[in-house]
Structure formats: structure tokens, C-alpha cells
Amino acid sequence: MPKTLFKVDLTKPMYEQELPGHNRWHPDIPAVVSVNPGDVFRIECKDWTDGQIKNDDNPDDIRDVELTVVHVLSGPIYVNGAQPGDILVVDLLDIGALPGDEWGFTGIFARENGGGFLVDHYPTAAKAIWDLEGIYTKSRHIPGVRFAGIPHPGLIGCAPSHELLSKWNQREAELVATAPDRVPPLAALPNPQNAILGTLPQSEFERVAAEAARTVPPREHGGNCDIKNLSKGSRIYFPVYVEGAKLSMGDIHFSQGDGEISFCGAIEMSGYIDLHVDLIKGGVEKYGLVNPIFKPGPVEPRYSEYLVFEGISVDEFSGKQYYLDAHVAYRRACLNAIEYLKKFGYTGEQAYLLLSCAPVEGRVSGIVDIPNACCTLALPTEIFDRPILPV
Ligand code: ZN
């Protein structure tokens, strides 16, 4: 077992950990550990909500979750020798649950908390608890399914530079200003409330908390990409923006479907990640990197049979035609899959939760055939304990 450089005590909130992590992005958040290129090491992570969700049957904790706390991240990790313009090569050597904490949760967020992809259809909170049994999982809240996980960090990335951070803040503020009264807002702007900034000195807290970016969206550094295929054995190439790279991670998922549609939509868990890091000097310019690139690992569940649901860019409310809108088309594909699963005894909420966290494949299948985008959602049929094809 590699040396654990960042440990978490699950009985304590992130700000009380021996080495506190952080829940905002800012270049001035000090690194808590340092490694050399070539090192192999273990990082432990809390679940993304910092332990707010309980292993019980009551979804009130999902409804009442305090979102200014998220995502709690482990790090930053200083990589000796890393300079802006380098590529940080990160191998995810292993990912797993922490001993004694082998469970996870999937939630539908209430509209007041940002909602999910189908918030207009499912505006109230719901929760499913998943028991992790080695590589498999099942839920007492969604009977009749069992599947192998594809564990991955939902969130991993390097710190932004001051310049990049102010670019983020400017463009996101401009977006929010286009609909200032909207619930939920169009983006999550900096918010000092419940900010955790690692070991930053108190004298700098106010300034940094007011500037630091929220962790909600994916951005140029990676961040909250929620890509299920960043699983065991993946190699990720991150652009480095600050000296030491300052790598952080968290939001570990045991499994997730493409799109993570219910927003708290993976099987969220605490866990560990074993990593190996290296550097490609000057790699950003050499390879033209704008966002991270990655090579998926060789260890993924092997499902070979799928039932695929199509969706087109015509909305479900008024039948309005949209022009090549993949957002509308994927929503229609998801809704079509949910309606189908209802015929097999699932509630809409159960089907929504399942599509969000099971290993479903989402595709932009056609994006040029005016006026309809065509998106597809492929549901592995082998996860069900009975046949689900039309006969
Ligand atoms: Zn997550």
C-alpha cells in the first residue's frame, strides 16, 4: 500500500481535519503536502457534501443539504518542479471505499437546491442508498438491479492562476447578470459562506474567500467534470497554471451514468485514490492543450447488451422545435427511458435515480441533421434481474 499523504477522519468536518482540505479554487490556498515527479501515494477523500447525507431512508438530508459546503477536496498537492505551461501527468492507480464506510448515496436535488437535469418533472428531493459489495452494488431503494462499479473522482484538477481565476469570475458573473432573479441562478458565483481554504492564514481569509471560485462547474483545469471513465488505470494530462501545480481532488463516485443527470447523481462516497504523478515540461504549448485530455484505463465493467433510447430536440411541454439542441434531445432520451422503466414497476423517481448512477452510455449521435439533434441513452440490460426488452 502506498504512503497515505492526506488522511480523513470521517467523524470530523473537513475544516477540523488534521490537514484541512478546501472547498473553493484559488491559487493562494497553500499546498498541504508535496511530492516529486515519479512518486506513488494515496489520498483519502470525504464524500462531496462533507458527511451531510446519512445511510437511512429519509431524503430530508438531501432536501436540506448545505450547498455552500461543497465540494470538499483533498489537497492541494505541490508537485516539485511543476511550472505554468507544463503538463501534469496523473495516473489513477486505484480507487476504492474506505474500510467500514462501504456505502454510497444518489440524490435528486430539490428545485430550491439547484435541481437536476429533469427538475421541471422531478422538483422534490429523493434519495437512494447503495450497499457496496466488492466491485458490485445494490440498493434497498431500487429493487431488481445490481451492477459493477466504475469508480472515479468526480472532481480533480490543478489550481488556476490569478489570471485564469479572474477570467472565470468575470464570465460567470456576466452570465448570472442576464437573469439575476432566476432560481436556481445560472452559475454559482464566489460565496464566502462556509468557505474552507485549507491552511490559509486568517489575515488573508476574507480576501481569498471573496474571490475564490466555487467548485461546481468543470473548467479549463478539469475540476468537476464528472466523467465516469476517469476510472482505475486512467492517465490524465492536466495543464499546469501555477508553480507546483497544486493538484486537488474529491467527489469520489462508485458509479455514474453519462450526464450524472439528477445532479447528486452518482453513487457518492468517501474513499481513497492511489496516484502516480509525472511532468511533461512545456507540454501545454507542445500539445496545444486547452482543457485536460485523458486515456481511459483498462479496468471497466464489461456490459455488452443495451436498450437504447433516442431523443430529439423537440421539447416535451409544447412540442416546440429547437435547432440542433443537444440539451433538449438528451433530456427527451432520458424521459423516454424513464417512461419505459415505469412499465416495469419503477416509480419515476427510482428510474431517474437509476439512470443517473448506473453505467449508462450517453451519446450525441447526430448533430447536423437540421433541425433535430439526436441524443441517445444506452441502458445496459444485464443490470436488471429480469428481461426488460419489448417482446
Ligand atoms: Zn459527485
Side-chain angles (χ1 to χ4, degrees), residues 85-348:
D86 294 345
I87 285 175
L88 179 66
V89 182
V90 175
D91 292 315
L92 303 176
L93 300 176
D94 197 12
I95 303 166
L98 295 175
D101 205 45
E102 294 93 350
W103 67 282
F105 60 92
T106 306
I108 297 174
F109 268 23
R111 181 187 296 279
E112 297 71 33
N113 249 339
F117 189 45
L118 307 180
V119 66
D120 291 330
H121 301 270
Y122 299 98
T124 50
K127 176 168 88 172
I129 298 296
W130 296 87
D131 297 315
L132 313 183
E133 297 170 340
I135 68 165
Y136 293 106
T137 189
K138 59 184 171 49
S139 171
R140 61 187 181 269
H141 299 118
I142 307 179
V145 292
R146 178 176 182 261
F147 50 87
I150 178 167
H152 55 277
L155 199 162
I156 182 168
C158 298
S161 63
H162 285 98
E163 297 72 39
L164 186 57
L165 175 65
S166 54
K167 202 194 285 185
W168 294 350
N169 284 339
Q170 190 186 338
R171 73 191 184 197
E172 291 175 23
E174 284 171 5
L175 177 66
V176 169
T178 63
D181 301 323
R182 189 177 185 271
V183 179
L186 290 172
L189 298 180
N191 181 353
Q193 191 191 343
N194 287 318
I196 306 168
L197 304 174
T199 57
L200 187 80
Q202 198 56 40
S203 57
E204 294 187 61
F205 195 94
E206 205 176 322
R207 172 184 65 85
V208 172
E211 296 171 353
R214 300 297 308 278
T215 56
V216 179
R219 299 187 181 93
E220 289 88 337
H221 67 149
N224 194 27
C225 288
D226 290 316
I227 300 170
K228 74 178 189 310
N229 306 90
L230 287 182
S231 193
K232 297 179 190 186
S234 298
R235 169 167 286 188
I236 318 173
Y237 302 86
F238 288 104
V240 172
Y241 302 102
V242 298
E243 204 176 288
K246 290 188 170 175
L247 176 72
S248 298
M249 67 207 68
D251 186 23
I252 297 181
H253 299 160
F254 183 78
S255 174
Q256 186 207 290
D258 286 339
E260 204 196 3
I261 56 174
S262 74
F263 182 55
C264 182
I267 297 179
E268 309 285 345
M269 66 175 199
S270 62
Y272 68 85
I273 307 177
D274 291 344
L275 304 115
H276 168 270
V277 294
D278 218 332
L279 290 171
I280 299 175
K281 299 301 290 178
V284 167
E285 198 183 324
K286 186 174 177 193
Y287 294 105
L289 246 60
V290 176
N291 291 70
I293 57 178
F294 74 96
K295 184 168 86 68
V299 188
E300 290 191 355
R302 185 172 58 224
Y303 291 107
S304 54
E305 294 183 4
Y306 292 87
L307 185 58
V308 183
F309 296 86
E310 302 180 8
I312 55 171
S313 50
V314 174
D315 90 21
E316 66 275 26
F317 302 107
S318 60
K320 183 181 171 193
Q321 178 72 61
Y322 283 79
Y323 178 73
L324 299 180
D325 189 326
H327 184 102
V328 175
Y330 195 54
R331 188 173 74 227
R332 295 303 304 271
C334 295
L335 289 167
N336 291 344
I338 289 170
E339 286 310 306
Y340 186 86
L341 288 174
K342 281 185 182 174
K343 307 296 184 193
F344 292 81
Y346 292 107
T347 65

Side-chain angles (χ1 to χ4, degrees), residues 38-113:
D39 280 358
V40 172
F41 52 95
R42 174 167 291 196
I43 298 292
E44 294 180 352
C45 301
K46 293 199 70 182
D47 84 274
W48 76 298
T49 71
D50 206 6
Q52 294 184 66
I53 310 303
K54 303 296 176 235
N55 184 353
D56 62 24
D57 305 326
N58 186 345
D60 287 357
D61 50 9
I62 294 280
R63 182 194 64 195
D64 300 335
V65 69
E66 179 51 63
L67 281 181
T68 54
V69 171
V70 304
H71 302 69
V72 287
L73 304 180
S74 300
I77 302 159
Y78 191 97
V79 181
N80 293 318
Q83 295 289 340
D86 294 345
I87 285 175
L88 179 66
V89 182
V90 175
D91 292 315
L92 303 176
L93 300 176
D94 197 12
I95 303 166
L98 295 175
D101 205 45
E102 294 93 350
W103 67 282
F105 60 92
T106 306
I108 297 174
F109 268 23
R111 181 187 296 279
E112 297 71 33
N113 249 339

